[in-house]
Amino acid sequence: MARKSSLSGFNEWLPAERMVELHVLQTLTEVFRLHGFTNIETRAVETLGTLLRKGEIDKEVYAVSRLQGDEDQASDDPNRLALHFDLTVPFARYVTENAGYLHFPFRRYQIQKVWRGERPQEGRAREFTQADIDVVGDGQLGFRYDIDVALVMAEALSKLPIGEFTIRINNRKLAEGFYRGIGLDDTEGVLRNIDKLEKIGAEKVAEALQDEVGATAQQAEQALALAQIRTEDTGFVDQVRALGVEHELLEEGLTELAEVIDQLHRRVPGTAVADLSIARGLDYYTGTVYETVLVGHEQLGSICSGGRYDSLATKGKRSFPGVGLSIGVTRLVMRILSQTMAEASRSVPSCVLVALTHDQDWDTALDTAQQLRERGISTEVAVSAEKFGKQIKYADKRGIPFVWFSSVAEDGSVSHEVKDLRSGEQVPADPTTWMPPADDLDPQVRATR
Amino acid sequence: MARKSSLSGFNEWLPAERMVELHVLQTLTEVFRLHGFTNIETRAVETLGTLLRKGEIDKEVYAVSRLQGDEDQASDDPNRLALHFDLTVPFARYVTENAGYLHFPFRRYQIQKVWRGERPQEGRAREFTQADIDVVGDGQLGFRYDIDVALVMAEALSKLPIGEFTIRINNRKLAEGFYRGIGLDDTEGVLRNIDKLEKIGAEKVAEALQDEVGATAQQAEQALALAQIRTEDTGFVDQVRALGVEHELLEEGLTELAEVIDQLHRRVPGTAVADLSIARGLDYYTGTVYETVLVGHEQLGSICSGGRYDSLATKGKRSFPGVGLSIGVTRLVMRILSQTMAEASRSVPSCVLVALTHDQDWDTALDTAQQLRERGISTEVAVSAEKFGKQIKYADKRGIPFVWFSSVAEDGSVSHEVKDLRSGEQVPADPTTWMPPADDLDPQVRATR
């Protein structure tokens, strides 16, 4: 991990590190699959028109142009191509384009790289992998999917070697209803400032609310009082009511958030809290919003975020409301590796190296290897009859646990022995029946604490 | 498949199509893994300096720039970023950068998207997935790896639903030695013209050899005679000898190619031929070169190509010779789908839909689903108690084979039944022990002929 990447913000893993990442990806994939999410991928590029429609982060976008072709395009041409910066906007575009071929509600997972041109810093990369799940409906989408996707992510995260985590959940309707109830109509403006609470503190947020959103001192105080509510169960409902604000939208939000927290509290106890300070930067969320922190690594930022969006994907009068969450896989893997929270048992898939006694026995060695592979045992074959010490060192350096010897006698008969490099024990073996211990068959990625 | 992509050259698959692609990728991954190849990924961007060092295809490169940042870079600035157009050049860069952390010979597979800005046409996309294997040594790499990688790819391709294929193999030393033997020293120039043989015919190639490489009519005739040799076994050796040309390098090439063909002929009969017309465009190959065509789809172009390169990766005086092959996954999948060579048995992973009789039974339904998932059965849960006909239609449209009914009696006890949508049969079942037939558990991708 002392290596530095040759391009700042673009990480590349060594083989054993990549195994940890693959373990994370396979674990997520398996949970998503068990919950009936189907996989898609979208192209890496979108038009600027699609990417920037929702207003956000134009500074972070990487534009793409053919080296000897499109360079005369205006830099803000909406048909210009750029790399996607998340998977939600491309997914919304995919849904509207392919609506006629999809079945709704459509459950999909998507695991791909995304790119952002922002300044690289701890926990942030310019190229990183996201793992998203979303459920999208045609015209309408039942509220219970807000609970469904959170349960899936809680299960997925609990199977990763990352220790404890907390999903912090809020609801946009609750916040907007409350702000309207106290007379603040610029919900975006209030949320944008509330979002800074953890970073700059209550006093500065109160000032900003007065300076930027035109709140009175009392309104700012009330908005901050709401943001400070945080409960592990549905206790937040009474705490909000105690603030004495009334609004129809607030009631709707309270009911929704209580239902989400209630189910998570019962089904995955200890993993979710109602946290009314959660704002989420993206303006397309309309209901439940989620953020997730690793306990003890809160400064890493959110590792799994998302929410309900009612009008991100539209096609004429037809709209496709959705709800989903996105795991920042690269951010998680960087933390797992830098803190050695998990390690791979070896850096190669190979369980067996078939050694060579004589150069001319290569053919026999290939036969042996194929017999082992037929039973799922990953096997390499030496290509030259170097000293045994050297061949064993080859296996040992890679963590390959077994070295196999197939000796061809003068009469053409072959005898086989297999050596366990850890115990040094060498025993006769039959390549058509021998099996390694289950733990040795494939590299294991194990949590180290 | 009647869909058109909204950006020419950038394909996106529907869920059932993606399942076919995933089947291809999983099949390849499993074979690579069984042969001891470890996985890595490299970043999507390289500097222009790295990408264009080897001379090739600058017109096809997609440059990348921060929308509000690097736009004042000169278009040929070697530090400028661009999307990689293959996985070999990035891999060579990765090897030299990380040489101190890798064990040689280093066996890796790499499956990623690459981008080329060329004009989209049948069989060519601007974004496509490649699956590469390479073995790279430190300073030297045994010749037998040239056979090893070809055997791995022959095995991998034979497990895909693509019908018959032919790996066409040649050797650069053989070609260069032969050309030198007849007095032609511009190997690159000769190969560039020989490469057009299939496209423009022998007569035009002969003319071009005389016009562009300065060959005599007799030399052109000899070069063409070599290129017309094609044998399924090592018979090509005698045919080359019959042309009466002598050169040390030619001998070396003949010996190497004979060894490769001999092993492939014996181990994977009918899949490889010696084809002395194979040139491969890339100038970094130095020995064995491979191309692969689908029998009956030759006009699709090569679906698996590669070769031996002795000096692609260098670090000061240290060189890392390698040999590898790359499968054009997208090209293959496009063909599989457009010709319906394989199909997925359903478009979702879900094997079971747990239906809802009453809205308030959702909790019970979630319990049932979790019991099924614990034994690896992909399960979805309805979120509202719509009419059974509608819930069954939901499952049926997606190809979900089973619908589960958990009825909660007034005393709180739960009874379970499962319905097979194909037979219509509905029977009592226990969610802690019930298993579907093995073929129904996960979606199957089956060859259709």
Side-chain angles (χ1 to χ4, degrees):
Chain A
M1 287 304 302
R3 292 175 314 123
K4 261 186 74 173
S5 64
S6 58
L7 268 184
S8 176
F10 293 85
N11 299 292
E12 291 181 324
W13 304 126
L14 291 172
E17 296 170 338
R18 170 66 175 160
M19 281 195 188
V20 172
E21 182 172 62
L22 279 175
H23 171 75
V24 168
L25 295 174
Q26 282 155 1
T27 303
L28 297 178
T29 298
E30 178 60 10
V31 172
F32 300 162
R33 212 188 55 72
L34 279 174
H35 284 263
F37 289 84
T38 195
N39 184 235
I40 65 156
E41 289 196 337
T42 55
R43 61 190 188 224
V45 300
E46 299 288 338
T47 61
L48 274 186
T50 300
L51 287 183
L52 304 183
R53 195 162 45 100
K54 290 294 156 183
E56 241 225 340
I57 53 170
D58 48 331
K59 264 181 297 195
E60 301 178 5
V61 170
Y62 276 113
V64 161
S65 52
R66 283 166 59 218
L67 195 54
Q68 305 192 352
D70 329 315
E71 305 237 76
D72 47 353
Q73 269 188 316
S75 73
D76 59 351
D77 183 334
N79 291 318
R80 205 174 165 195
L81 300 184
L83 296 174
H84 56 208
F85 56 77
D86 75 0
L87 301 177
T88 311
V89 172
F91 174 57
R93 195 257 317 141
Y94 176 95
V95 166
T96 54
E97 272 184 19
N98 296 295
Y101 301 90
L102 303 173
H103 302 301
F104 295 96
F106 178 47
R107 302 165 76 78
R108 82 87 176 80
Y109 75 92
Q110 191 169 344
I111 301 178
Q112 286 184 254
K113 296 215 170 78
V114 305
W115 295 268
R116 295 185 191 177
E118 58 194 332
R119 214 163 61 83
Q121 50 179 295
E122 156 86 73
R124 284 185 196 273
R126 290 183 153 186
E127 174 180 71
F128 53 101
T129 299
Q130 290 197 329
D132 283 30
I133 57 169
D134 285 85
V135 185
V136 164
D138 183 359
Q140 52 95 23
L141 182 75
F143 166 71
R144 278 175 169 168
Y145 288 110
D146 291 36
I147 301 168
D148 179 28
V149 293
L151 285 171
V152 175
M153 281 309 199
E155 183 180 329
L157 291 171
S158 73
K159 294 192 170 169
L160 297 180
I162 54 173
E164 280 180 62
F165 58 90
T166 306
I167 307 178
R168 300 169 172 173
I169 311 179
N170 195 0
N171 188 297
R172 275 285 168 92
K173 294 177 192 169
L174 191 164
E176 181 169 347
F178 186 91
Y179 302 150
R180 289 189 187 281
I182 60 174
L184 289 175
D185 287 341
D186 179 6
T187 308
E188 288 301 320
V190 181
L191 284 175
R192 199 171 45 243
N193 284 291
I194 292 292
D195 208 16
K196 298 176 190 155
L197 187 55
E198 213 158 347
K199 212 177 272 175
I200 65 174
E203 205 171 321
K204 291 221 165 115
V205 170
E207 276 171 35
L209 285 172
Q210 293 170 66
D211 293 351
E212 292 173 27
V213 193
T216 65
Q218 202 206 344
Q219 285 171 327
E221 199 183 313
Q222 284 175 296
L224 279 165
L226 183 76
Q228 268 143 9
I229 294 173
R230 187 182 157 135
T231 65
E232 289 186 15
D233 54 20
T234 53
F236 72 91
V237 178
D238 287 342
Q239 295 187 29
V240 174
R241 293 246 160 79
L243 297 177
V245 176
E246 285 185 8
H247 193 278
E248 198 183 338
L249 207 53
L250 170 60
E251 281 310 307
E252 212 177 301
L254 281 171
T255 306
E256 287 191 1
L257 185 55
E259 237 181 288
V260 172
I261 294 295
D262 181 49
Q263 272 290 351
L264 287 165
H265 188 59
R266 289 194 293 125
R267 297 204 160 259
V268 284
T271 61
V273 298
D275 184 334
L276 305 198
S277 72
I278 298 306
R280 299 303 306 147
L282 295 162
D283 66 355
Y284 50 70
Y285 292 126
T286 51
T288 311
V289 286
Y290 320 83
E291 266 186 28
T292 310
V293 290
L294 286 188
V295 175
H297 304 269
E298 287 79 2
Q299 78 298 348
L300 186 63
S302 178
I303 52 137
C304 177
S305 315
R308 155 76 67 151
Y309 44 90
D310 278 334
S311 47
L312 179 61
T314 55
K315 190 176 187 177
K317 285 188 178 166
R318 201 169 163 195
S319 81
F320 303 92
V323 60
L325 283 150
S326 172
I327 293 183
V329 174
T330 300
R331 184 177 282 194
L332 265 185
V333 172
M334 285 171 84
R335 185 50 57 117
I336 292 171
L337 293 173
S338 70
Q339 312 272 315
T340 326
M341 296 162 90
E343 275 180 326
S345 58
R346 55 183 193 252
S347 67
V348 292
S350 319
C351 175
V352 175
L353 169 72
V354 181
L356 265 196
T357 318
H358 304 289
D359 274 339
Q360 71 267 28
D361 294 345
W362 193 54
D363 218 44
T364 306
L366 289 183
D367 289 339
T368 299
Q370 210 50 30
Q371 288 170 321
L372 293 170
R373 288 181 195 126
E374 270 160 24
R375 276 166 302 110
I377 304 167
S378 174
T379 306
E380 287 182 48
V381 180
V383 296
S384 58
E386 295 178 298
K387 282 183 187 149
F388 274 159
K390 204 168 169 191
Q391 295 190 55
I392 284 171
K393 199 174 154 199
Y394 174 100
D396 204 38
K397 276 205 291 191
R398 290 161 174 76
I400 300 175
F402 297 97
V403 175
W404 193 282
F405 303 94
S406 300
S407 310
V408 186
E410 284 198 8
D411 64 358
S413 68
V414 185
S415 63
H416 300 276
E417 294 202 339
V418 63
K419 184 187 188 76
D420 183 328
L421 289 195
R422 290 142 317 174
S423 66
E425 195 188 21
Q426 186 167 331
V427 293
D430 180 344
T432 65
T433 58
W434 179 85
M435 279 300 285
D439 267 9
D440 285 337
L441 184 60
D442 295 312
Q444 304 288 308
V445 172
R446 294 192 194 93
T448 48
R449 43 179 142 157
Chain B
M1 287 304 302
R3 293 174 314 122
K4 262 186 75 175
S5 65
S6 56
L7 269 185
S8 175
F10 293 85
N11 299 292
E12 292 180 323
W13 304 126
L14 291 172
E17 296 170 337
R18 171 65 176 161
M19 281 195 188
V20 172
E21 183 172 62
L22 279 175
H23 172 76
V24 168
L25 294 174
Q26 282 156 0
T27 304
L28 297 178
T29 299
E30 178 60 10
V31 172
F32 299 163
R33 211 188 56 71
L34 280 173
H35 284 263
F37 289 83
T38 196
N39 184 235
I40 65 157
E41 289 196 337
T42 55
R43 61 191 188 225
V45 300
E46 299 289 337
T47 61
L48 275 186
T50 300
L51 286 183
L52 303 182
R53 195 162 44 102
K54 290 293 158 185
E56 240 224 339
I57 52 170
D58 47 332
K59 265 180 295 194
E60 301 178 5
V61 171
Y62 276 114
V64 161
S65 53
R66 283 167 58 219
L67 196 55
Q68 304 192 353
D70 329 315
E71 305 237 77
D72 47 353
Q73 269 188 318
S75 74
D76 59 349
D77 183 335
N79 291 319
R80 205 174 165 195
L81 299 183
L83 296 174
H84 56 208
F85 55 77
D86 75 1
L87 301 176
T88 311
V89 170
F91 174 57
R93 195 257 317 142
Y94 175 96
V95 165
T96 55
E97 271 183 22
N98 296 295
Y101 301 89
L102 303 174
H103 301 301
F104 295 96
F106 177 47
R107 300 165 77 77
R108 83 85 176 80
Y109 75 91
Q110 191 170 346
I111 300 178
Q112 287 183 252
K113 296 215 170 79
V114 305
W115 294 268
R116 295 186 191 177
E118 57 194 332
R119 213 165 62 83
Q121 51 178 294
E122 156 87 77
R124 284 186 197 272
R126 289 181 155 188
E127 173 179 71
F128 54 100
T129 300
Q130 289 196 329
D132 283 29
I133 58 169
D134 285 86
V135 185
V136 163
D138 183 0
Q140 52 95 23
L141 181 76
F143 165 72
R144 278 174 170 168
Y145 288 109
D146 291 35
I147 300 168
D148 179 27
V149 293
L151 285 171
V152 175
M153 282 308 199
E155 183 181 328
L157 291 171
S158 73
K159 294 189 171 170
L160 297 180
I162 53 174
E164 279 180 63
F165 58 90
T166 305
I167 307 177
R168 299 170 172 173
I169 311 179
N170 195 1
N171 189 297
R172 275 286 166 92
K173 294 176 193 169
L174 190 165
E176 181 169 348
F178 186 91
Y179 302 150
R180 288 188 188 282
I182 60 173
L184 289 174
D185 287 341
D186 178 6
T187 308
E188 289 301 321
V190 181
L191 283 175
R192 199 170 47 242
N193 283 292
I194 291 293
D195 209 14
K196 298 176 191 157
L197 187 55
E198 213 157 346
K199 211 178 272 176
I200 64 173
E203 205 171 322
K204 291 220 166 116
V205 170
E207 277 170 35
L209 285 172
Q210 293 171 66
D211 292 351
E212 293 173 27
V213 194
T216 65
Q218 201 206 345
Q219 285 170 327
E221 197 184 314
Q222 283 175 296
L224 278 166
L226 184 75
Q228 269 142 9
I229 293 173
R230 186 182 159 136
T231 65
E232 290 186 15
D233 55 20
T234 53
F236 73 92
V237 178
D238 287 342
Q239 295 188 30
V240 174
R241 293 245 160 79
L243 297 176
V245 177
E246 286 188 6
H247 194 277
E248 200 182 338
L249 207 53
L250 169 61
E251 281 308 308
E252 213 177 300
L254 280 172
T255 306
E256 287 190 2
L257 185 56
E259 238 180 288
V260 172
I261 294 295
D262 181 48
Q263 273 290 351
L264 287 167
H265 189 60
R266 288 194 292 125
R267 296 205 160 258
V268 283
T271 62
V273 298
D275 184 334
L276 306 198
S277 72
I278 298 305
R280 300 300 308 146
L282 296 161
D283 65 356
Y284 50 70
Y285 293 124
T286 50
T288 310
V289 286
Y290 320 84
E291 266 187 28
T292 310
V293 289
L294 286 189
V295 175
H297 304 268
E298 287 79 2
Q299 79 298 348
L300 186 63
S302 178
I303 51 137
C304 177
S305 315
R308 156 74 68 149
Y309 44 91
D310 279 334
S311 47
L312 179 60
T314 55
K315 190 177 188 175
K317 284 187 179 168
R318 201 169 163 195
S319 81
F320 302 91
V323 61
L325 283 151
S326 173
I327 293 182
V329 174
T330 300
R331 184 177 284 195
L332 264 185
V333 172
M334 284 170 85
R335 186 50 59 116
I336 292 171
L337 293 173
S338 70
Q339 311 272 314
T340 327
M341 297 161 91
E343 274 181 325
S345 58
R346 55 186 192 250
S347 67
V348 292
S350 320
C351 176
V352 175
L353 168 73
V354 181
L356 265 195
T357 317
H358 304 290
D359 273 340
Q360 71 267 29
D361 294 346
W362 192 55
D363 219 44
T364 307
L366 289 183
D367 290 339
T368 299
Q370 210 50 30
Q371 288 170 322
L372 293 170
R373 288 182 194 124
E374 271 160 24
R375 276 166 302 110
I377 304 167
S378 174
T379 305
E380 286 181 49
V381 180
V383 296
S384 58
E386 295 178 297
K387 284 187 184 141
F388 274 158
K390 204 168 169 191
Q391 295 189 55
I392 285 172
K393 198 173 155 200
Y394 174 100
D396 203 39
K397 276 205 290 191
R398 289 159 174 79
I400 300 176
F402 296 98
V403 175
W404 193 283
F405 302 94
S406 300
S407 309
V408 186
E410 285 196 8
D411 64 358
S413 67
V414 185
S415 62
H416 300 275
E417 294 202 339
V418 63
K419 184 186 187 76
D420 183 328
L421 288 196
R422 291 143 316 176
S423 67
E425 195 188 19
Q426 185 167 333
V427 294
D430 180 344
T432 64
T433 56
W434 179 85
M435 281 299 286
D439 267 8
D440 285 336
L441 184 60
D442 294 312
Q444 305 288 308
V445 172
R446 295 192 194 92
T448 48
R449 41 180 145 157

